[in-house]
Amino acid sequence: MSLVPRGSLFDFDHFFDNFRTPAIFSDKEGGHLVPRIEVKEKADQYLISAELPGVKKEDIHVTLDNGVLTLEAESHQEDKEEKDGKIIRQERRYGRFSRSFNLGSDVMDSDINAKFDNGVLTLTIPRHELPPPTSRRIDIS
């Protein structure tokens, strides 16, 4: 129970609620949620991990198009009726997001392995050696 009236100068519990977080510290990018991503490049593969708390496996879509890997996901807000009280503050994030990575032409979609465990999506993307460009002299007749 708070003895300080809400909205007063001494209401420290809600003092910082109206300040905006600078964009570099925000979890939003252009109105969309941005998951925390880790990308590792090894000699023979890429490893991408994405934190997706609250997202169901069926709401995650990964595509590879012309060497660009796109990760799309959506988390839904649960609509439930509160019988024993009301929600005073809610800091969970809901929404749709998309991230894209240009991996180049040395990856194939059929080789990508995706695993989703405890809210973390892990993609293992093997790299293939491209044949070196060849050159040959063309005779002119």
Side-chain angles (χ1 to χ4, degrees), residues 48-112:
I48 299 177
S49 297
E51 292 180 3
L52 303 172
V55 177
K56 295 179 183 173
K57 186 168 117 176
E58 52 272 3
D59 291 332
I60 301 171
H61 305 284
V62 180
T63 57
L64 181 68
D65 185 26
N66 291 325
V68 177
L69 181 92
T70 301
L71 165 62
E72 296 177 315
E74 185 170 0
S75 63
H76 303 280
Q77 184 171 3
E78 293 180 18
D79 295 325
K80 61 181 178 180
E81 190 175 313
E82 295 291 328
K83 295 184 182 194
D84 294 335
K86 63 180 180 175
I87 296 175
I88 295 174
R89 182 178 187 95
Q90 186 170 18
E91 295 183 353
R92 293 182 183 161
R93 297 173 294 195
Y94 302 100
R96 179 181 181 90
F97 49 83
S98 175
R99 295 286 303 265
S100 294
F101 307 92
N102 188 355
L103 301 179
S105 58
D106 60 345
V107 297
M108 296 178 62
D109 60 349
S110 60
D111 295 335
I112 296 175

Side-chain angles (χ1 to χ4, degrees), residues 10-64:
F10 300 105
D11 183 13
F12 294 112
D13 289 338
H14 301 283
F15 182 75
F16 294 103
D17 287 351
N18 294 326
F19 288 99
R20 292 190 174 263
T21 305
I24 65 168
F25 300 115
S26 178
D27 288 336
K28 290 195 172 202
E29 182 177 277
H32 297 287
L33 298 170
V34 181
R36 308 263 191 241
I37 302 284
E38 180 178 273
V39 180
K40 291 182 184 176
E41 180 181 13
K42 294 188 174 185
D44 60 342
Q45 66 185 356
Y46 295 106
L47 295 173
I48 299 177
S49 297
E51 292 180 3
L52 303 172
V55 177
K56 295 179 183 173
K57 186 168 117 176
E58 52 272 3
D59 291 332
I60 301 171
H61 305 284
V62 180
T63 57
L64 181 68

